[in-house]
Amino acid sequence: MTAARTAAAPPRLELRGLTLRFGGLKALDGVDLQVAEGEICAIIGPNGAGKTSLFNTITGIYEPSAGAVLVDGDDVRQPARQADVAGWLGVGLFGAMAAILVASDVDAMWAATVKSLPPDRWRLDVALQGLGAHLAKRSLFDHAMTGALAFVLCGLGARAIWLRGRCTPQTVALRGVARTFQNIRLFSQLSVRDNVLVAMDRRLRGAAGIGAIGRLRVAAGDAALPGVGVALIALLAGLQATHPPAVGPAPLLAAVALGALALVGIAWVLRILGLGALTAAARDAEAEARREADALLARVGLGERADDRATALPYGDQRRLEIARALATRPKLLLLDEPAAGMNASDIERLKVLIAEIRASGVTVLLIEHHMSLVMAIADRVAVLVHGRGVATGTPAEVRADPAVIAAYLGDEGAQP
Amino acid sequence: MAPPPPATGAATAMRRPSLELGLLVLLLAYPWLPIFDLAADAAGVPLRLEPRLVTVFIYALLVLALNLQVGQAGLLQLGIAAFFGIGAMTTGVLTVTKFPFQLGFWGALLGAPAAALLAGLLLGAPTLRLRGDYLAIVTLGFGEVVRTVLLNLEHITDGPRGLNPVAEIWAPAGLRTWLAGDDGSRASLLLTYHVALGVLVAAFVVLRVLERSRVGRALSALRDDELAAACMGLDPARLKLQAFAGGAALAGIAGCLYATNLTTTADPNNYDFNNAIMVLCCLILGGLGTLRGALLGAALVIGFDNVLSPLLDRALQQLPGVGGHPLANFSAWRWMLFGLLLVVMMRVRPAGLFAPATARAAAGEAAR
Amino acid sequence: MLSVRGLEARYGSVQALRGVDFDVAEGEIVALVGGNGAGKSTTLCCISGLLAPSAGSLTFEGRDLQGIPAHDRVRLGLSHCPEGRRVFARMTVAENLQIGAITRADKAAIASDLDQIEAIFPVLAQRRTQAAGTLSGGEQQMLAIGRALMSRPRLLLLDEPSLGLAPLIVQALFAVIADLRRRGTTVLLVEQNARAALGLCDRAVVLERGTVIVTGRGSDLLHDPALHAAYFGGS
């Protein structure tokens, strides 16, 4: 069955020779694993075997020292696209320009251009002549060397920032991978419902671009750079025409310049401050998200406590809230790190049902768990990790009977479920 | 489901706007209220406070800007004075008669935040990944660099003399007459007063909306647990940069008003580290992360420095037997008193006067 | 040894404990059992002084604990190993353990206790010089228990010691707790793995919504059909 499916589509999650080093210590040592779509796969192993490190590497918190994480057949580390390369070049050029300006003494340049003529007789062409004369004080070679150095430094800097940003928790989350944490990490200052709503933020942000004001906001953001350019040119032309004093189109040009600058400025303020949240579409989206959040909370049994502070919940409920929060990102793959820790037997029974429901809704589940009763009851497949290496994979029954697993992990508890 | 219990939050939400609205109406009307003048004349102390209140408004804007960066986004930054200075200097360059731009106040009100925003983006993009204490050092350095640069670009900024005269606020002649009749200088003063108050109110409203929106929630989550927030798909770098640049732009607006109020950009040494620390003091005193706290902190600290202490000085001078004594000079004692008050405050209310309930609880637990 | 009378505690407007009464005799292992939010951890926090009760009294060896701060209760022989590990992340494993013995002066005994703890949890010996924050979750749990033992408590409060530990280690841990009793340490244990806890303890106190509903011998409770349905499920 799995063979047929893998031939048709790549596995939901695939780890290829995943290795993670901390200094000389190898937390993960060439881990291979495939999780098919719709599967529940459990990872067990002694404390310190690298299970949580594995989760942290999959979710982009650590970058693997070697090997790769593939979601639906694609490496989670994005390759550089043309736009990225263009971005590095752009930053480099900008840096080169800035460096040439700074190196040729901004202050003197100001004197040569802005102060080239008294303000009431100031003319753009004279200022530009002054700029040319000023720049000519340094040799072309000097300018070129300054520019080239800054270009390389800024371009490399931009690339370094891109490299660090290409595989981060948020990019992995956008691929449809959500997780819970072993040591619960809820947003303690927020209410239970707001914890879930934060996980929907990405979708809500998209909604802020809907509707008239939203579209204007997005368009303004896109038009900002060209807008600034147009405004500056109109401004310069207006200034030139205004001195000597106003004749013909001068006031009009000046008004255009100011108007364009004002529009761009307002649009940018709207964008930066995120006031898209004020549009009707965004309000609708928020209301819809609240309904969805309440439904999710009801599903994990926290419907009554939506307005409480997250940290006021007892431990087991906090674990369920973490699951609801992760589900709110609408994941394809859900990673659960010891979901049953701190739960009693009847809680664990409910958790079994919840995880089965999550799988039935089309989400693939990968979980770390020490409660063997849970693992045996719901996992399709179990992978055993010892000292950062995968030592066995198989059905729960096979793994439980494996003498090596009993010796390293289960002890005689393994015999009794 | 049953409606949520009548939480204290709902009650205060009903009460708060009316309190603030009342204060706003009082401030709007203040220039025309003769009662203060009469009382002051009776006491023999001149009490025209508009210019001093403008200073309070400007610092309140700065504190709101810093609150966006430090309180909301959790970025400890000590260079707010640099953005303040950039805003003031841009205003000078865009308005003084010695340069050809001469855009007037309203042009500068757009240009100054744009320049500060650009500086914020340039500084923020590579540095916001740094951890709290490192970021504090970097922004501290940035503040000093900007001050030194402004001092030394003499052709542009006129160095320590500062650019002047910075343009007054332009308004239609009808409005000026309506405000102050034939008294031209009073009209300028009232324009500055009301524009500064208007900008402050607008900033407060925008920030309040922001705080209660999706973005405020996201920033709160980010401050709580950045890693968990990132794993839920939030983009920490983008959110932080937005808040940082937004705060920088707001500080730029404050700088624009400052230069306009003084009609000069003043010595760049005015925008130094002391200034940044003073703004941070206001914020911490009022309550980090709360808008009302930011306003209250600015009102208390800057009001203390600018309004209360000169008044006390004059009152002391006029007291028979005390006036003229070298120690009877309140201004000389004011920072010592302020320091003492700050120490007491931190003992009694470590999370600030207007601390959010959660922060108070946390501080209380820590103290226990 | 310890007696708890009419203990009440609240978090803001939420009443977490509504009058809890029970006793712990010297040399006993007592388990606190109950569902989520029943008030088990809150009870431990009140006893160790991390939380001030709103009403009720706590007596430890005839001494009223009211007004005694948490760090002085450690000197009285009360040690609390709280939920959620709370190791000192930037200190090494060895330093964490030595901090546990900060109230003691007998260097030789401390050293022998250190050896003993490393014998119980061999992995701590391997990681002696590593910063505690770099340990895995389960290893941090072992360290937290080890640290609590280092103060040589007469009454040890353990909050979910088996949390996040592999089955093999859980078995070893329960053996250690049984061994502690043989050496005269009294243990008050909160444990979600009720089956294992009841098998180990002398007496169990069952809490529900902040009050004690049943007390009795562990093995009796284990076979109580009503409790069985509520807490032990089908496992």
Side-chain angles (χ1 to χ4, degrees), chain A residues 174-233:
Chain A
L174 293 188
R175 296 285 187 97
V177 180
R179 71 171 294 178
T180 64
F181 297 90
Q182 180 188 27
N183 47 340
I184 297 173
R185 304 186 79 138
L186 292 168
F187 305 122
S188 52
Q189 306 283 310
L190 296 180
S191 72
V192 168
R193 182 188 290 114
D194 279 351
N195 263 275
V196 177
L197 283 173
V198 165
M200 299 180 179
D201 198 73
R202 273 283 170 171
R203 265 176 287 143
L204 290 173
R205 205 172 99 199
I210 304 168
I213 300 180
R215 273 199 301 276
L216 175 75
R217 207 178 127 259
V218 171
D222 294 341
L225 273 183
V228 169
V230 168
L232 283 179
I233 290 167

Side-chain angles (χ1 to χ4, degrees), chain C residues 12-97:
Chain C
S13 59
V14 184
Q15 180 132 26
L17 298 181
R18 307 154 190 272
V20 172
D21 303 271
F22 66 91
D23 293 295
V24 180
E26 181 127 28
E28 259 189 330
I29 297 181
V30 175
L32 278 177
V33 185
N36 253 317
K40 308 182 296 291
S41 297
T42 309
T43 307
L44 290 198
C45 286
C46 286
I47 296 172
S48 67
L50 292 179
L51 189 74
S54 52
S57 71
L58 293 162
T59 321
F60 180 62
E61 298 190 316
R63 196 166 167 174
D64 187 0
L65 286 181
Q66 178 151 26
I68 301 180
H71 52 269
D72 286 334
R73 294 190 196 186
V74 177
R75 286 177 204 278
L76 294 179
L78 258 166
S79 178
H80 184 192
C81 176
E83 192 177 28
R85 293 145 202 178
R86 312 254 176 137
V87 297
F88 304 112
R90 298 203 182 174
M91 294 174 141
T92 65
V93 167
E95 285 165 345
N96 264 277
L97 290 173

Side-chain angles (χ1 to χ4, degrees), chain A residues 25-108:
Chain A
L25 194 77
K26 264 189 184 174
L28 297 174
D29 191 0
V31 177
D32 293 297
L33 181 70
Q34 291 197 357
V35 184
E37 187 181 339
E39 221 180 6
I40 296 180
C41 177
I43 298 176
I44 61 172
N47 298 114
K51 302 184 295 298
T52 297
S53 294
L54 184 71
F55 268 26
N56 287 346
T57 314
I58 295 174
T59 52
I61 294 171
Y62 302 139
E63 191 167 345
S65 320
V69 177
L70 291 86
V71 175
D72 290 333
D74 295 323
D75 195 322
V76 292
R77 286 170 296 184
Q78 300 159 344
R81 294 162 304 163
Q82 260 178 352
D84 297 320
V85 179
W88 310 335
L89 294 178
V91 171
L93 282 175
F94 181 82
M97 221 171 68
I100 290 173
L101 285 181
V102 169
S104 48
D105 189 347
V106 185
D107 207 30

Side-chain angles (χ1 to χ4, degrees), chain A residues 25-345:
Chain A
L25 194 77
K26 264 189 184 174
L28 297 174
D29 191 0
V31 177
D32 293 297
L33 181 70
Q34 291 197 357
V35 184
E37 187 181 339
E39 221 180 6
I40 296 180
C41 177
I43 298 176
I44 61 172
N47 298 114
K51 302 184 295 298
T52 297
S53 294
L54 184 71
F55 268 26
N56 287 346
T57 314
I58 295 174
T59 52
I61 294 171
Y62 302 139
E63 191 167 345
S65 320
V69 177
L70 291 86
V71 175
D72 290 333
D74 295 323
D75 195 322
V76 292
R77 286 170 296 184
Q78 300 159 344
R81 294 162 304 163
Q82 260 178 352
D84 297 320
V85 179
W88 310 335
L89 294 178
V91 171
L93 282 175
F94 181 82
M97 221 171 68
I100 290 173
L101 285 181
V102 169
S104 48
D105 189 347
V106 185
D107 207 30
M109 187 185 300
W110 185 270
T113 54
V114 177
K115 291 169 134 181
S116 55
L117 286 175
D120 52 338
R121 290 187 290 115
W122 188 84
R123 289 166 56 95
L124 182 61
D125 49 354
V126 178
L128 288 178
Q129 280 169 13
L131 178 65
H134 174 77
L135 288 177
K137 283 185 201 157
R138 286 182 87 217
S139 73
L140 192 62
F141 178 76
D142 285 351
H143 283 309
M145 286 312 288
T146 316
L149 188 65
F151 178 78
V152 169
L153 281 179
C154 293
L156 284 180
R159 185 170 172 274
I161 289 181
W162 177 86
L163 271 180
R164 287 188 59 183
R166 72 177 173 156
C167 176
T168 55
Q170 71 266 23
T171 60
V172 174
L174 293 188
R175 296 285 187 97
V177 180
R179 71 171 294 178
T180 64
F181 297 90
Q182 180 188 27
N183 47 340
I184 297 173
R185 304 186 79 138
L186 292 168
F187 305 122
S188 52
Q189 306 283 310
L190 296 180
S191 72
V192 168
R193 182 188 290 114
D194 279 351
N195 263 275
V196 177
L197 283 173
V198 165
M200 299 180 179
D201 198 73
R202 273 283 170 171
R203 265 176 287 143
L204 290 173
R205 205 172 99 199
I210 304 168
I213 300 180
R215 273 199 301 276
L216 175 75
R217 207 178 127 259
V218 171
D222 294 341
L225 273 183
V228 169
V230 168
L232 283 179
I233 290 167
L235 188 66
L236 288 174
L239 284 172
Q240 189 190 15
T242 342
H243 304 281
V247 274
L252 187 67
L253 274 172
V256 167
L258 271 183
L261 266 182
L263 269 183
V264 169
I266 291 167
W268 260 90
V269 168
L270 282 178
R271 206 176 158 79
I272 291 226
L273 293 183
L275 289 195
L278 285 181
T279 63
R283 272 203 305 274
D284 291 348
E286 174 89 15
E288 174 61 34
R290 281 174 75 94
R291 279 194 290 278
E292 191 183 332
D294 287 345
L296 266 175
L297 288 173
R299 189 168 151 195
V300 300
L302 293 173
E304 306 277 298
R305 308 210 57 174
D307 294 304
D308 291 350
R309 250 181 73 198
T311 40
L313 297 181
Y315 205 78
D317 285 352
Q318 291 192 13
R319 290 218 171 269
R320 273 194 287 273
L321 176 54
E322 276 220 325
I323 295 178
R325 184 178 67 172
L327 286 176
T329 65
R330 294 197 188 151
K332 293 187 286 190
L333 171 66
L334 178 63
L335 309 186
L336 302 173
D337 197 345
E338 297 196 27
M343 287 191 175
N344 64 28

